Amino acid sequence: MEKQVTLLSSQLFQKHRQVEVVLSRSVLAWKPVEKSRKPCSGTCDSVHSYSVEVCEIVAVRKTEDDDQDAAQTGKHQKKTKQLYRYAFTVSYVRRTQQHQWRCSEVTFHCDNQALCEEWVQVTNEQLSLLTNRPKSLLVYINPFGGKRRGKRIYEQKVAPMFRLASIATTVIVTERANHAEDHLKTEANLDKYDGVVCVGGDGMFSEVLHGLVARTQNDHGVDQNQPDAELVPCSLRIGIIPAGSTDCICFATVGTNDPVTSALHIVVGDSQPMDVCSVHHNDVFLRYSVSLLGYGFYGDVLSDSERNRWLGPARYDLAGVKTFLSHNYYEGTVSFLPAEDDVGNPRDKLQCRSGCSICQHNRSSKDTHSDVSEEKEKPGKDDSSDWNEIHGKFIAINAANMSCACPRSPKGLSPFAHLADGNADLILVRNCSRLDFFKHLLRHTNKDDQFDHPFVEVHRVRKFRFEPERHILVSLEDLSEPATKTGYSTPLGSWSCDGEILPEVAIQVSVQCQLIRLFARGIEEQQQQQCVSDDPCTLSALEPTTD
């Protein structure tokens, strides 16, 4: 292990034991002091050391007498307080099961006030160097979403974290649909803030997304109605405190829908870029999508569920059963521009995780290839060979910007989709028997490959278009009438766009690479999850050295 410059090193008391505490620019570490030290050969099992990355320290503060009294119990602790009257407490991130984070504390006792104050000052100086941490946030709370728990979740679980980390907040409790979106577009003074936080479900996040993106484009003079317009990325990060029914954005970017975990990702200033799909109809902007665009089955489920909103979240289950039994299919033409060869494919088994190499590669090469990509992406006569076209009858057409994993579908609709690679996974489910479609749906709940069916195909794309087939029906008695008395023989279905029904069926979609950033870091791998280590030899790399 590479040796690090030590900023502070002291022998302090923690609980009833004496510990050696060392602070470097990147790590705070401590371990019990052995009465008789012996050379460590092989694995050291007798004494454990603990370490916390500085970037995951939430706050450091002097411990007041009342706090000490509350924490002190037993004869050893009372004796420690008498001998070591001064103390400071370090609040830090502790990882638990299933990607959840918790805020833990450790209190160190000193024998003099100057030493205690030095530890607090030097540690806080290191925290102040972490410029990615927010100091001021604009918070929107949806009091009606999910189970109407948004306000209580924020006040009881999130606000205390922000106060502990000395983050100033402006809180707005929304009073109507699109309140947050309208406020962001026109009224909010965004120069005052380092980020925008939404407390609610995926619908609340969509409001903040549309408001922030629209505000950014308006401020830079970009016309959102132009499908080929190069949108300006948003400078402010978005934080999501989950309090809704599905919270699939949190599952894809953090790995859980736990409010405390999301709050801690905001506090430590994590940043995760994300792609956004822009959806247009005939040069008219419709909506943005970050998770799922669904036509056919998922569009019908949402349409039917809207008629039974009084049922709450149970309406989706009822609508799903009814739509499955109806077994409708829709005819149309899908055209798409395939992804570049260096971003993998939807079945390559490469999951998008924290520090994803595919997303990072795309980020570094985004500017380099922008001019070339723009020429390829314009659907004109010279580049028609770059576009693929598929005509058929489809039960479902889905475009996933992320895995869309959730508790009911642990892998999601497209398990190997990436958050920030500039592409979407286009999933085409052709007309098949009801039993075959049920097998396909069932695979969303287990570990089998849901694309391994002859009637399912999936493509990684940068852009795509859909044009429904419109069969004209003329009744026998109208044969002698003018051709204006006509109708459509088949329903056109509808598109679900992140939980909202689109007003048009013929659409064109472009993936806007890394248009927004979230206070997140992606789902951590198992070996990344425990940064509060109990490695017995941690302090060996933190020998007391000075600059």
Side-chain angles (χ1 to χ4, degrees), residues 261-478:
T261 301
S262 294
L264 288 171
H265 278 284
I266 295 171
V267 167
V268 302
D270 280 338
S271 183
Q272 171 64 53
M274 278 188 64
D275 298 335
V276 177
C277 281
S278 58
V279 187
H280 292 78
H281 170 76
N282 292 342
D283 294 342
V284 175
F285 170 73
L286 298 180
R287 285 192 72 81
Y288 292 113
S289 170
V290 294
S291 56
L292 176 67
L293 271 167
Y295 178 72
F297 180 77
Y298 289 103
D300 291 350
V301 168
L302 184 61
S303 295
D304 188 79
S305 69
E306 288 299 298
R307 305 186 188 100
N308 300 289
R309 293 190 67 87
W310 58 274
L311 286 173
R315 68 186 185 272
Y316 298 114
D317 296 327
L318 176 62
V321 172
K322 290 173 61 179
T323 303
F324 174 77
L325 294 176
S326 299
H327 199 60
N328 295 327
Y329 67 84
Y330 301 94
E331 189 171 358
T333 301
V334 179
S335 306
F336 61 88
L337 183 65
E340 301 286 353
D341 295 334
D342 57 355
V343 294
N345 66 79
R347 301 179 68 180
D348 58 12
K349 308 296 183 183
L350 297 177
Q351 291 183 306
C352 189
R353 290 293 183 260
S354 181
C356 174
S357 59
I358 291 179
C359 295
Q360 288 184 341
H361 171 74
N362 184 276
R363 185 177 186 179
S364 62
S365 60
K366 179 180 174 183
D367 296 333
T368 306
H369 301 297
S370 60
D371 296 336
V372 178
S373 297
E374 285 176 10
E375 291 301 318
K376 287 185 177 182
E377 290 172 3
K378 294 178 182 178
K381 295 180 180 179
D382 297 335
D383 60 3
S384 59
S385 59
D386 293 327
W387 284 71
N388 294 345
E389 185 174 291
I390 299 174
H391 180 86
K393 298 175 181 178
F394 305 98
I395 293 180
I397 299 174
N398 301 316
N401 265 29
M402 57 180 62
S403 67
C404 299
C406 65
R408 291 191 176 187
S409 179
K411 293 195 307 175
L413 266 68
S414 188
F416 309 110
H418 289 268
L419 295 171
D421 65 343
N423 302 285
D425 287 353
L426 181 63
I427 306 164
L428 308 178
V429 183
R430 295 180 181 270
N431 188 26
C432 61
S433 70
R434 187 180 282 108
L435 178 59
D436 282 342
F437 186 56
F438 176 76
K439 292 178 180 178
H440 169 66
L441 293 178
L442 189 62
R443 289 192 176 185
H444 290 95
T445 65
N446 56 40
K447 297 182 179 181
D448 294 332
D449 184 0
Q450 60 258 51
F451 305 137
D452 189 21
H453 295 288
F455 53 89
V456 178
E457 56 185 288
V458 58
H459 307 272
R460 187 153 288 174
V461 304
R462 287 174 282 165
K463 294 187 175 188
F464 77 91
R465 300 189 295 263
F466 176 72
E467 186 67 38
E469 189 74 19
R470 302 172 186 265
H471 295 293
I472 298 178
L473 172 68
V474 183
S475 61
L476 292 176
E477 55 268 26
D478 288 337

Side-chain angles (χ1 to χ4, degrees), residues 95-108:
R95 289 160 173 78
T96 61
Q97 75 283 357
Q98 298 177 337
H99 306 286
Q100 291 187 357
W101 286 9
R102 289 294 177 264
C103 185
S104 289
E105 293 185 343
V106 57
T107 298
F108 298 106

